[in-house]
Amino acid sequence: MDPHFFCIRKLVMMIEWGLIGLFGMCFLASTIVPFPSEATLLFFLNSGNYSPVFILLVASLGNCLGGSTNYILGYYGRKVLGKKQVLRSEPLVQRFGIWTALISWVPIIGDPLLILLGIYRTPFWLTMGLMSLGKIVRYLIVFWAYLTIT
């Protein structure tokens, strides 16, 4: 089967579901499911079907709630992980602490960082605030670049 079929199917699904599809894709992209939320954001901005402000709000909300899911998984999943695995990551958290939430938008490393912050039980609201700031600024940069190019 053609690998492009799955990409096309995701795009069709986003069009059919509208802003709910955008929210869902950005939520999933911020969990352990690998999906580029920036591409989803650009797709919706380029469609012209919705206000850019609503697109940014919905994408940011979905992405931030997905990130908080990772934190909660770490917070309550601490007992599932072996003590050796948790101790191995302690120097990272000790060195940079809660500030690592600012880079939780970075692909591949962002999700595990939020899980680690949950494991080490950093203050929830401060962690969520820093995470949200990083994710929203990233979307604003993508939006600015889109406006500059188009």
Side-chain angles (χ1 to χ4, degrees), residues 65-80:
L65 287 176
S68 65
T69 302
N70 290 328
Y71 177 91
I72 291 168
L73 284 171
Y75 190 90
Y76 291 108
R78 182 182 182 132
K79 295 178 183 174
V80 174

mmCIF file with all atom_site columns, all heavy atoms in Angstrom, residues 65-80:
data_model
loop_
_atom_site.group_PDB
_atom_site.id
_atom_site.type_symbol
_atom_site.label_atom_id
_atom_site.label_alt_id
_atom_site.label_comp_id
_atom_site.label_asym_id
_atom_site.label_entity_id
_atom_site.label_seq_id
_atom_site.pdbx_PDB_ins_code
_atom_site.Cartn_x
_atom_site.Cartn_y
_atom_site.Cartn_z
_atom_site.occupancy
_atom_site.B_iso_or_equiv
_atom_site.pdbx_formal_charge
_atom_site.auth_seq_id
_atom_site.auth_comp_id
_atom_site.auth_asym_id
_atom_site.auth_atom_id
_atom_site.pdbx_PDB_model_num
ATOM 1   N N   . LEU A 1 65 ? -2.651 20.570 26.593 1.00 0.00 ? 65 LEU A N   1
ATOM 2   C CA  . LEU A 1 65 ? -3.321 19.485 27.323 1.00 0.00 ? 65 LEU A CA  1
ATOM 3   C C   . LEU A 1 65 ? -2.634 18.146 27.077 1.00 0.00 ? 65 LEU A C   1
ATOM 4   O O   . LEU A 1 65 ? -2.549 17.312 27.988 1.00 0.00 ? 65 LEU A O   1
ATOM 5   C CB  . LEU A 1 65 ? -4.802 19.412 26.945 1.00 0.00 ? 65 LEU A CB  1
ATOM 6   C CG  . LEU A 1 65 ? -5.662 20.523 27.505 1.00 0.00 ? 65 LEU A CG  1
ATOM 7   C CD1 . LEU A 1 65 ? -7.093 20.417 26.978 1.00 0.00 ? 65 LEU A CD1 1
ATOM 8   C CD2 . LEU A 1 65 ? -5.670 20.513 29.022 1.00 0.00 ? 65 LEU A CD2 1
ATOM 9   N N   . GLY A 1 66 ? -2.136 17.930 25.883 1.00 0.00 ? 66 GLY A N   1
ATOM 10  C CA  . GLY A 1 66 ? -1.367 16.724 25.611 1.00 0.00 ? 66 GLY A CA  1
ATOM 11  C C   . GLY A 1 66 ? -0.088 16.677 26.436 1.00 0.00 ? 66 GLY A C   1
ATOM 12  O O   . GLY A 1 66 ? 0.283  15.632 26.973 1.00 0.00 ? 66 GLY A O   1
ATOM 13  N N   . GLY A 1 67 ? 0.577  17.808 26.567 1.00 0.00 ? 67 GLY A N   1
ATOM 14  C CA  . GLY A 1 67 ? 1.777  17.881 27.395 1.00 0.00 ? 67 GLY A CA  1
ATOM 15  C C   . GLY A 1 67 ? 1.485  17.621 28.857 1.00 0.00 ? 67 GLY A C   1
ATOM 16  O O   . GLY A 1 67 ? 2.249  16.954 29.553 1.00 0.00 ? 67 GLY A O   1
ATOM 17  N N   . SER A 1 68 ? 0.354  18.147 29.332 1.00 0.00 ? 68 SER A N   1
ATOM 18  C CA  . SER A 1 68 ? -0.006 17.899 30.733 1.00 0.00 ? 68 SER A CA  1
ATOM 19  C C   . SER A 1 68 ? -0.304 16.420 30.957 1.00 0.00 ? 68 SER A C   1
ATOM 20  O O   . SER A 1 68 ? -0.069 15.891 32.049 1.00 0.00 ? 68 SER A O   1
ATOM 21  C CB  . SER A 1 68 ? -1.199 18.765 31.150 1.00 0.00 ? 68 SER A CB  1
ATOM 22  O OG  . SER A 1 68 ? -2.362 18.406 30.440 1.00 0.00 ? 68 SER A OG  1
ATOM 23  N N   . THR A 1 69 ? -0.776 15.738 29.927 1.00 0.00 ? 69 THR A N   1
ATOM 24  C CA  . THR A 1 69 ? -0.997 14.291 30.027 1.00 0.00 ? 69 THR A CA  1
ATOM 25  C C   . THR A 1 69 ? 0.324  13.576 30.285 1.00 0.00 ? 69 THR A C   1
ATOM 26  O O   . THR A 1 69 ? 0.388  12.653 31.107 1.00 0.00 ? 69 THR A O   1
ATOM 27  C CB  . THR A 1 69 ? -1.640 13.762 28.732 1.00 0.00 ? 69 THR A CB  1
ATOM 28  O OG1 . THR A 1 69 ? -2.866 14.462 28.512 1.00 0.00 ? 69 THR A OG1 1
ATOM 29  C CG2 . THR A 1 69 ? -1.911 12.279 28.804 1.00 0.00 ? 69 THR A CG2 1
ATOM 30  N N   . ASN A 1 70 ? 1.386  13.991 29.608 1.00 0.00 ? 70 ASN A N   1
ATOM 31  C CA  . ASN A 1 70 ? 2.706  13.391 29.843 1.00 0.00 ? 70 ASN A CA  1
ATOM 32  C C   . ASN A 1 70 ? 3.159  13.611 31.281 1.00 0.00 ? 70 ASN A C   1
ATOM 33  O O   . ASN A 1 70 ? 3.695  12.701 31.924 1.00 0.00 ? 70 ASN A O   1
ATOM 34  C CB  . ASN A 1 70 ? 3.743  13.965 28.881 1.00 0.00 ? 70 ASN A CB  1
ATOM 35  C CG  . ASN A 1 70 ? 3.513  13.510 27.472 1.00 0.00 ? 70 ASN A CG  1
ATOM 36  O OD1 . ASN A 1 70 ? 3.033  12.422 27.220 1.00 0.00 ? 70 ASN A OD1 1
ATOM 37  N ND2 . ASN A 1 70 ? 3.860  14.361 26.532 1.00 0.00 ? 70 ASN A ND2 1
ATOM 38  N N   . TYR A 1 71 ? 2.969  14.817 31.791 1.00 0.00 ? 71 TYR A N   1
ATOM 39  C CA  . TYR A 1 71 ? 3.350  15.116 33.171 1.00 0.00 ? 71 TYR A CA  1
ATOM 40  C C   . TYR A 1 71 ? 2.584  14.206 34.138 1.00 0.00 ? 71 TYR A C   1
ATOM 41  O O   . TYR A 1 71 ? 3.173  13.615 35.052 1.00 0.00 ? 71 TYR A O   1
ATOM 42  C CB  . TYR A 1 71 ? 3.064  16.592 33.486 1.00 0.00 ? 71 TYR A CB  1
ATOM 43  C CG  . TYR A 1 71 ? 3.358  16.961 34.911 1.00 0.00 ? 71 TYR A CG  1
ATOM 44  C CD1 . TYR A 1 71 ? 4.617  17.429 35.280 1.00 0.00 ? 71 TYR A CD1 1
ATOM 45  C CD2 . TYR A 1 71 ? 2.390  16.841 35.900 1.00 0.00 ? 71 TYR A CD2 1
ATOM 46  C CE1 . TYR A 1 71 ? 4.897  17.765 36.587 1.00 0.00 ? 71 TYR A CE1 1
ATOM 47  C CE2 . TYR A 1 71 ? 2.661  17.176 37.216 1.00 0.00 ? 71 TYR A CE2 1
ATOM 48  C CZ  . TYR A 1 71 ? 3.908  17.634 37.558 1.00 0.00 ? 71 TYR A CZ  1
ATOM 49  O OH  . TYR A 1 71 ? 4.191  17.968 38.859 1.00 0.00 ? 71 TYR A OH  1
ATOM 50  N N   . ILE A 1 72 ? 1.290  14.085 33.912 1.00 0.00 ? 72 ILE A N   1
ATOM 51  C CA  . ILE A 1 72 ? 0.452  13.255 34.789 1.00 0.00 ? 72 ILE A CA  1
ATOM 52  C C   . ILE A 1 72 ? 0.858  11.785 34.699 1.00 0.00 ? 72 ILE A C   1
ATOM 53  O O   . ILE A 1 72 ? 0.867  11.071 35.719 1.00 0.00 ? 72 ILE A O   1
ATOM 54  C CB  . ILE A 1 72 ? -1.038 13.476 34.461 1.00 0.00 ? 72 ILE A CB  1
ATOM 55  C CG1 . ILE A 1 72 ? -1.439 14.893 34.889 1.00 0.00 ? 72 ILE A CG1 1
ATOM 56  C CG2 . ILE A 1 72 ? -1.920 12.428 35.124 1.00 0.00 ? 72 ILE A CG2 1
ATOM 57  C CD1 . ILE A 1 72 ? -2.772 15.362 34.381 1.00 0.00 ? 72 ILE A CD1 1
ATOM 58  N N   . LEU A 1 73 ? 1.221  11.320 33.496 1.00 0.00 ? 73 LEU A N   1
ATOM 59  C CA  . LEU A 1 73 ? 1.712  9.952  33.357 1.00 0.00 ? 73 LEU A CA  1
ATOM 60  C C   . LEU A 1 73 ? 2.960  9.731  34.211 1.00 0.00 ? 73 LEU A C   1
ATOM 61  O O   . LEU A 1 73 ? 3.099  8.695  34.871 1.00 0.00 ? 73 LEU A O   1
ATOM 62  C CB  . LEU A 1 73 ? 2.028  9.632  31.897 1.00 0.00 ? 73 LEU A CB  1
ATOM 63  C CG  . LEU A 1 73 ? 0.858  9.376  30.974 1.00 0.00 ? 73 LEU A CG  1
ATOM 64  C CD1 . LEU A 1 73 ? 1.330  9.289  29.531 1.00 0.00 ? 73 LEU A CD1 1
ATOM 65  C CD2 . LEU A 1 73 ? 0.125  8.111  31.369 1.00 0.00 ? 73 LEU A CD2 1
ATOM 66  N N   . GLY A 1 74 ? 3.861  10.689 34.199 1.00 0.00 ? 74 GLY A N   1
ATOM 67  C CA  . GLY A 1 74 ? 5.059  10.585 35.028 1.00 0.00 ? 74 GLY A CA  1
ATOM 68  C C   . GLY A 1 74 ? 4.740  10.666 36.509 1.00 0.00 ? 74 GLY A C   1
ATOM 69  O O   . GLY A 1 74 ? 5.291  9.922  37.324 1.00 0.00 ? 74 GLY A O   1
ATOM 70  N N   . TYR A 1 75 ? 3.829  11.555 36.861 1.00 0.00 ? 75 TYR A N   1
ATOM 71  C CA  . TYR A 1 75 ? 3.471  11.761 38.264 1.00 0.00 ? 75 TYR A CA  1
ATOM 72  C C   . TYR A 1 75 ? 2.900  10.485 38.884 1.00 0.00 ? 75 TYR A C   1
ATOM 73  O O   . TYR A 1 75 ? 3.288  10.076 39.969 1.00 0.00 ? 75 TYR A O   1
ATOM 74  C CB  . TYR A 1 75 ? 2.454  12.909 38.361 1.00 0.00 ? 75 TYR A CB  1
ATOM 75  C CG  . TYR A 1 75 ? 2.186  13.372 39.763 1.00 0.00 ? 75 TYR A CG  1
ATOM 76  C CD1 . TYR A 1 75 ? 2.961  14.382 40.323 1.00 0.00 ? 75 TYR A CD1 1
ATOM 77  C CD2 . TYR A 1 75 ? 1.163  12.826 40.523 1.00 0.00 ? 75 TYR A CD2 1
ATOM 78  C CE1 . TYR A 1 75 ? 2.717  14.836 41.604 1.00 0.00 ? 75 TYR A CE1 1
ATOM 79  C CE2 . TYR A 1 75 ? 0.922  13.272 41.816 1.00 0.00 ? 75 TYR A CE2 1
ATOM 80  C CZ  . TYR A 1 75 ? 1.704  14.273 42.346 1.00 0.00 ? 75 TYR A CZ  1
ATOM 81  O OH  . TYR A 1 75 ? 1.459  14.714 43.627 1.00 0.00 ? 75 TYR A OH  1
ATOM 82  N N   . TYR A 1 76 ? 1.966  9.868  38.174 1.00 0.00 ? 76 TYR A N   1
ATOM 83  C CA  . TYR A 1 76 ? 1.321  8.669  38.710 1.00 0.00 ? 76 TYR A CA  1
ATOM 84  C C   . TYR A 1 76 ? 2.008  7.375  38.280 1.00 0.00 ? 76 TYR A C   1
ATOM 85  O O   . TYR A 1 76 ? 1.745  6.325  38.860 1.00 0.00 ? 76 TYR A O   1
ATOM 86  C CB  . TYR A 1 76 ? -0.154 8.631  38.321 1.00 0.00 ? 76 TYR A CB  1
ATOM 87  C CG  . TYR A 1 76 ? -0.948 9.697  39.029 1.00 0.00 ? 76 TYR A CG  1
ATOM 88  C CD1 . TYR A 1 76 ? -1.427 10.800 38.343 1.00 0.00 ? 76 TYR A CD1 1
ATOM 89  C CD2 . TYR A 1 76 ? -1.188 9.613  40.388 1.00 0.00 ? 76 TYR A CD2 1
ATOM 90  C CE1 . TYR A 1 76 ? -2.131 11.796 39.002 1.00 0.00 ? 76 TYR A CE1 1
ATOM 91  C CE2 . TYR A 1 76 ? -1.890 10.605 41.059 1.00 0.00 ? 76 TYR A CE2 1
ATOM 92  C CZ  . TYR A 1 76 ? -2.358 11.690 40.351 1.00 0.00 ? 76 TYR A CZ  1
ATOM 93  O OH  . TYR A 1 76 ? -3.049 12.663 41.010 1.00 0.00 ? 76 TYR A OH  1
ATOM 94  N N   . GLY A 1 77 ? 2.884  7.450  37.287 1.00 0.00 ? 77 GLY A N   1
ATOM 95  C CA  . GLY A 1 77 ? 3.557  6.253  36.806 1.00 0.00 ? 77 GLY A CA  1
ATOM 96  C C   . GLY A 1 77 ? 4.910  6.021  37.447 1.00 0.00 ? 77 GLY A C   1
ATOM 97  O O   . GLY A 1 77 ? 5.631  5.106  37.059 1.00 0.00 ? 77 GLY A O   1
ATOM 98  N N   . ARG A 1 78 ? 5.263  6.824  38.413 1.00 0.00 ? 78 ARG A N   1
ATOM 99  C CA  . ARG A 1 78 ? 6.571  6.717  39.066 1.00 0.00 ? 78 ARG A CA  1
ATOM 100 C C   . ARG A 1 78 ? 6.828  5.320  39.617 1.00 0.00 ? 78 ARG A C   1
ATOM 101 O O   . ARG A 1 78 ? 7.921  4.803  39.537 1.00 0.00 ? 78 ARG A O   1
ATOM 102 C CB  . ARG A 1 78 ? 6.661  7.753  40.172 1.00 0.00 ? 78 ARG A CB  1
ATOM 103 C CG  . ARG A 1 78 ? 7.979  7.759  40.878 1.00 0.00 ? 78 ARG A CG  1
ATOM 104 C CD  . ARG A 1 78 ? 7.997  8.784  41.999 1.00 0.00 ? 78 ARG A CD  1
ATOM 105 N NE  . ARG A 1 78 ? 9.312  8.753  42.603 1.00 0.00 ? 78 ARG A NE  1
ATOM 106 C CZ  . ARG A 1 78 ? 10.023 9.814  42.861 1.00 0.00 ? 78 ARG A CZ  1
ATOM 107 N NH1 . ARG A 1 78 ? 9.557  11.003 42.602 1.00 0.00 ? 78 ARG A NH1 1
ATOM 108 N NH2 . ARG A 1 78 ? 11.203 9.696  43.403 1.00 0.00 ? 78 ARG A NH2 1
ATOM 109 N N   . LYS A 1 79 ? 5.806  4.721  40.163 1.00 0.00 ? 79 LYS A N   1
ATOM 110 C CA  . LYS A 1 79 ? 5.953  3.390  40.768 1.00 0.00 ? 79 LYS A CA  1
ATOM 111 C C   . LYS A 1 79 ? 6.150  2.302  39.722 1.00 0.00 ? 79 LYS A C   1
ATOM 112 O O   . LYS A 1 79 ? 6.706  1.260  40.014 1.00 0.00 ? 79 LYS A O   1
ATOM 113 C CB  . LYS A 1 79 ? 4.747  3.078  41.641 1.00 0.00 ? 79 LYS A CB  1
ATOM 114 C CG  . LYS A 1 79 ? 4.653  3.997  42.833 1.00 0.00 ? 79 LYS A CG  1
ATOM 115 C CD  . LYS A 1 79 ? 3.437  3.718  43.661 1.00 0.00 ? 79 LYS A CD  1
ATOM 116 C CE  . LYS A 1 79 ? 3.369  4.735  44.798 1.00 0.00 ? 79 LYS A CE  1
ATOM 117 N NZ  . LYS A 1 79 ? 2.167  4.614  45.560 1.00 0.00 ? 79 LYS A NZ  1
ATOM 118 N N   . VAL A 1 80 ? 5.707  2.557  38.495 1.00 0.00 ? 80 VAL A N   1
ATOM 119 C CA  . VAL A 1 80 ? 5.826  1.574  37.423 1.00 0.00 ? 80 VAL A CA  1
ATOM 120 C C   . VAL A 1 80 ? 7.279  1.461  36.960 1.00 0.00 ? 80 VAL A C   1
ATOM 121 O O   . VAL A 1 80 ? 7.761  0.374  36.654 1.00 0.00 ? 80 VAL A O   1
ATOM 122 C CB  . VAL A 1 80 ? 4.904  1.945  36.238 1.00 0.00 ? 80 VAL A CB  1
ATOM 123 C CG1 . VAL A 1 80 ? 5.114  1.014  35.068 1.00 0.00 ? 80 VAL A CG1 1
ATOM 124 C CG2 . VAL A 1 80 ? 3.459  1.977  36.687 1.00 0.00 ? 80 VAL A CG2 1
#
